[in-house]
Amino acid sequence: MSAVSLSRRTAVAVAGAVATVAALTSCAAHAPKTAAAGSGGGRKEFVVGYSQSNNAEPYRAQLNAQLEYFVKKYPDLKLLPISDAHQDSATQVSQVQNFIQRKVDVLILSPNEPAPLTAAVQQACSAHIPVIVLDRTVNTDCYTSFIGGDNYKIGTMAGEAAVQALPHGGNVAELQGTLSDQPQIDRDKGFRDAVAGHHITIVYHQEAKWLKANATAITQRWLDQNKKIDLVYGENDDMALGAVLAARGAGKADGIKFIGIDGLAIPTGGIRAVQLGQMYTTFIYPTGAEQAADTAEAIVHGKTVGKKQTLQTTRITKDNAADVYKQYDMSAKLG
């Protein structure tokens, strides 16, 4: 599996970020400051900037809405309008640099890709801005806290579910997220490790960049080739549901099981799809929004926060889907 090549535009942005970092004191010599330490007497408001990788993904749209909700718990936090990188790393580098120039008190980042955003995170670190990395990693430890799930474990659980669904073995098609993203790498490896030795063959696999439309088109092409597919593993629910659409269009949905990851408690999400029998199973991948808000509040008041905060998962089946949906449903709170 090869890494995604950076566009020329991304490469230029990254080169600029690296050049800037070279002119700054190394992050090793300067730990991120707390906002409270340099805020001045009597200051009541701390500014938080959040750069989101791509609002078009339902998981990320839900994350945004939840973060706005949970930040409101803390009157002394002010969340700036969430920036959307539109799945473009160069755009996101620029957005992060803008937050740095504005001297936000806390920077929250969901990287589109790890390598292009690494230098930008180091810039924030060198500028003494605490950084919360949410969901996807970067290639530096110069941040204050990482919040996310155990993607290898979730991938392993998805593979174990595939073995359960195909006790005599079978053919699997895998819809992959952006290949350079660590969640994709871990979800792929965990799945493959779990199905190894169980007469399961991954006959197709392709990058769909986490998006339903891409997954639908890719699955349509696979189905047109008339190779038997017993199960589709989408590394997120949006891709799995895209495969469902394609299989329905081809009249083959009844003979295929679908597995996803995310488990959003929204009408078009994975939990409801399992409840309705559209998907075989999915797994809760918490947004981390509540933990991000809590962590930001702790940081600005000089409290110690965990360097790595690992969020837990739950497998969704028809038996527990209704109860888990109620547990995670925030529609009444978010409006």
Side-chain angles (χ1 to χ4, degrees), residues 36-100:
S39 61
R43 182 174 178 181
K44 299 294 185 181
E45 185 175 76
F46 302 93
V47 178
V48 179
Y50 178 38
S51 176
Q52 177 61 274
S53 60
N54 185 26
N55 290 353
E57 299 170 39
Y59 173 85
R60 306 208 162 273
Q62 187 71 0
L63 194 167
N64 292 354
Q66 290 185 13
L67 184 64
E68 290 172 345
Y69 172 80
F70 286 115
V71 165
K72 289 178 182 176
K73 289 171 42 182
Y74 301 109
D76 60 347
L77 294 184
K78 177 185 177 181
L79 179 65
L80 296 176
I82 295 171
S83 64
D84 178 11
H86 300 286
Q87 213 170 60
D88 183 275
S89 296
T91 298
Q92 192 166 36
V93 168
S94 177
Q95 291 170 347
V96 170
Q97 289 174 333
N98 180 58
F99 284 134
I100 293 170

Side-chain angles (χ1 to χ4, degrees), residues 4-17 88-91 93 113 116:
V4 177
S5 298
L6 293 175
S7 66
R8 180 179 178 185
R9 183 182 173 205
T10 300
V12 171
V14 174
D88 183 275
S89 296
T91 298
V93 168
E113 297 174 283

Side-chain angles (χ1 to χ4, degrees), residues 30-319:
H30 296 281
K33 71 170 184 177
T34 63
S39 61
R43 182 174 178 181
K44 299 294 185 181
E45 185 175 76
F46 302 93
V47 178
V48 179
Y50 178 38
S51 176
Q52 177 61 274
S53 60
N54 185 26
N55 290 353
E57 299 170 39
Y59 173 85
R60 306 208 162 273
Q62 187 71 0
L63 194 167
N64 292 354
Q66 290 185 13
L67 184 64
E68 290 172 345
Y69 172 80
F70 286 115
V71 165
K72 289 178 182 176
K73 289 171 42 182
Y74 301 109
D76 60 347
L77 294 184
K78 177 185 177 181
L79 179 65
L80 296 176
I82 295 171
S83 64
D84 178 11
H86 300 286
Q87 213 170 60
D88 183 275
S89 296
T91 298
Q92 192 166 36
V93 168
S94 177
Q95 291 170 347
V96 170
Q97 289 174 333
N98 180 58
F99 284 134
I100 293 170
Q101 291 170 0
R102 295 183 66 169
K103 298 181 180 180
V104 296
D105 295 300
V106 179
L107 171 64
I108 304 176
L109 172 67
S110 291
N112 182 53
E113 297 174 283
L117 273 301
T118 295
V121 169
Q122 289 175 320
Q123 276 186 270
C125 177
S126 295
H128 305 289
I129 296 175
V131 179
I132 299 171
V133 180
L134 194 54
D135 172 45
R136 297 176 181 174
T137 57
V138 287
N139 301 332
T140 178
D141 63 358
C142 198
Y143 55 81
T144 306
S145 186
F146 170 82
I147 301 171
D150 185 336
N151 284 290
Y152 178 80
K153 178 180 179 180
I154 293 174
T156 301
M157 293 172 68
E160 291 169 350
V163 171
Q164 182 185 67
L166 304 174
H168 304 295
N171 291 342
V172 171
E174 180 184 10
L175 290 159
Q176 298 167 297
T178 302
L179 295 183
S180 60
D181 288 347
Q182 198 62 44
Q184 186 286 317
I185 294 168
D186 292 342
R187 292 178 189 185
D188 172 76
K189 179 169 173 44
F191 184 86
R192 289 170 184 262
D193 287 351
V195 302
H198 291 278
H199 306 290
I200 289 175
T201 303
I202 299 176
V203 293
Y204 298 113
H205 60 93
Q206 188 170 333
E207 179 187 50
K209 295 183 179 292
W210 308 110
L211 299 175
K212 179 185 283 187
N214 293 350
T216 301
I218 290 167
T219 305
Q220 285 171 340
R221 291 196 293 271
W222 289 341
L223 294 172
D224 287 343
Q225 296 178 36
N226 291 318
K227 182 178 288 187
K228 182 172 174 57
I229 296 175
D230 300 297
L231 184 145
V232 174
Y233 167 45
E235 291 180 351
N236 72 352
D237 287 341
D238 216 29
M239 293 189 295
L241 290 169
V244 171
L245 288 176
R248 283 178 175 173
K252 297 180 179 180
D254 290 342
I256 303 174
K257 293 182 171 65
F258 301 88
I259 292 177
I261 295 171
D262 277 350
L264 295 177
I266 58 176
T268 57
I271 299 177
R272 189 69 81 206
V274 172
Q275 190 176 9
L276 296 174
Q278 298 168 352
M279 287 171 52
Y280 175 68
T281 193
T282 188
F283 300 85
I284 295 288
Y285 189 74
T287 66
E290 182 173 12
Q291 292 80 3
D294 293 346
T295 301
E297 175 70 3
I299 288 170
V300 300
H301 291 290
K303 297 179 181 178
T304 301
V305 299
K307 182 74 172 181
K308 184 174 183 180
Q309 302 180 51
T310 302
L311 308 178
Q312 301 304 307
T313 189
T314 301
R315 180 179 172 183
I316 307 302
T317 66
K318 272 195 170 183
D319 292 336

